[in-house]
Amino acid sequence: LDLARRALDRATTLAPRLPDTSRARIQYGLATGADPDAILASIAHIEQQRQHDATLFIDSSRTFLQLGRWSDAADRLTRARDLDPRNPFVHAQLGLVLIGLRRYADAQQALEQSLAIERDQQLAYILRVWTAWLSKGDLPASRAFLDRLPQPDDWRFMELRFLQALYERRFDLAVDITAPWGDRWMKVIDTNEPVPD
């Protein structure tokens, strides 16, 4: 942090108004527990300078999430989506934040848009199933969506299928889903290790 402080001081001396300097100030502030108002002032400065930079608004959304300001994060991702509407990542991230805000119908719409742009996305599929579970506990809807997976046997979706079987009280099926991985299946999920042979 001392090296970071010195680098930030030097950047501030050389280019105090440069957006990258403000970005560095934000990251340093988050790392050191700085006054949130100072961090927000830096965000406002950058956003004013780069109003048409979708990546900037994605970064801002992460900062707002770290500050616990989920609605502000959703606003930034909405802005990023409007600036870069063909970016599936933005739609998926917006869906994730909307789930956190319990705006499930909006989250579902964002995730469907993400998948319409790019079909093979693990995060969007996972979140889409979670919206069915969390919004209404709609097991038929989540089952139907699991049946739409582009690669139904992909091990990355094993946890979804396992949980779906548990929620449906199909315990034999839940055991069968995890059987190929034996006692290593939770380790695979928790560590993102490569799928075992």
Side-chain angles (χ1 to χ4, degrees), residues 116-188:
I117 296 167
E118 186 178 318
R119 189 167 183 258
D120 188 21
Q121 292 182 75
Q122 181 184 3
L123 177 62
Y125 277 104
I126 290 170
L127 294 175
R128 183 61 188 82
V129 172
W130 276 97
T131 59
W133 289 339
L134 292 171
S135 63
K136 297 178 182 176
D138 190 343
L139 296 180
S142 57
R143 167 62 60 196
F145 197 80
L146 282 169
D147 291 343
R148 284 177 47 195
L149 292 177
Q151 299 170 350
D153 296 329
D154 188 326
W155 71 274
R156 295 173 302 170
F157 301 115
M158 177 184 62
E159 183 182 22
L160 293 178
R161 293 191 304 271
F162 170 76
L163 291 172
Q164 178 75 24
L166 286 182
Y167 297 153
E168 293 172 340
R169 306 182 66 78
R170 299 170 64 189
F171 303 117
D172 289 342
L173 177 59
V175 170
D176 289 345
I177 288 168
T178 60
W181 290 276
D183 61 357
R184 298 178 296 168
W185 76 276
M186 271 303 220
K187 187 176 179 185
V188 170

Side-chain angles (χ1 to χ4, degrees), residues 3 11 15-16 18 28 46 54 66 70 83 97 100-101 113 135 139 143 151 153 156 159 171 175 183 189:
L3 288 173
L18 192 70
Y28 183 81
I46 297 174
Q66 287 178 278
W70 285 63
L83 291 168
V97 172
L101 290 169
Q113 183 61 41
S135 63
L139 296 180
R143 167 62 60 196
Q151 299 170 350
D153 296 329
R156 295 173 302 170
E159 183 182 22
F171 303 117
V175 170
D183 61 357
I189 291 169

Side-chain angles (χ1 to χ4, degrees), residues 8 11-26 46:
L8 179 57
T12 301
T13 300
L14 293 172
R17 298 187 185 282
L18 192 70
D20 287 337
T21 301
S22 294
R23 262 191 193 149
R25 193 174 295 117
I26 290 166
I46 297 174

Side-chain angles (χ1 to χ4, degrees), residues 43-51 56-57 60 64 76:
I43 292 173
H45 173 73
I46 297 174
E47 290 181 348
Q48 182 62 33
Q49 287 189 310
R50 299 175 73 172
Q51 297 179 29
L56 168 73
F57 286 97
S60 292
F64 278 108
R76 270 45 185 200

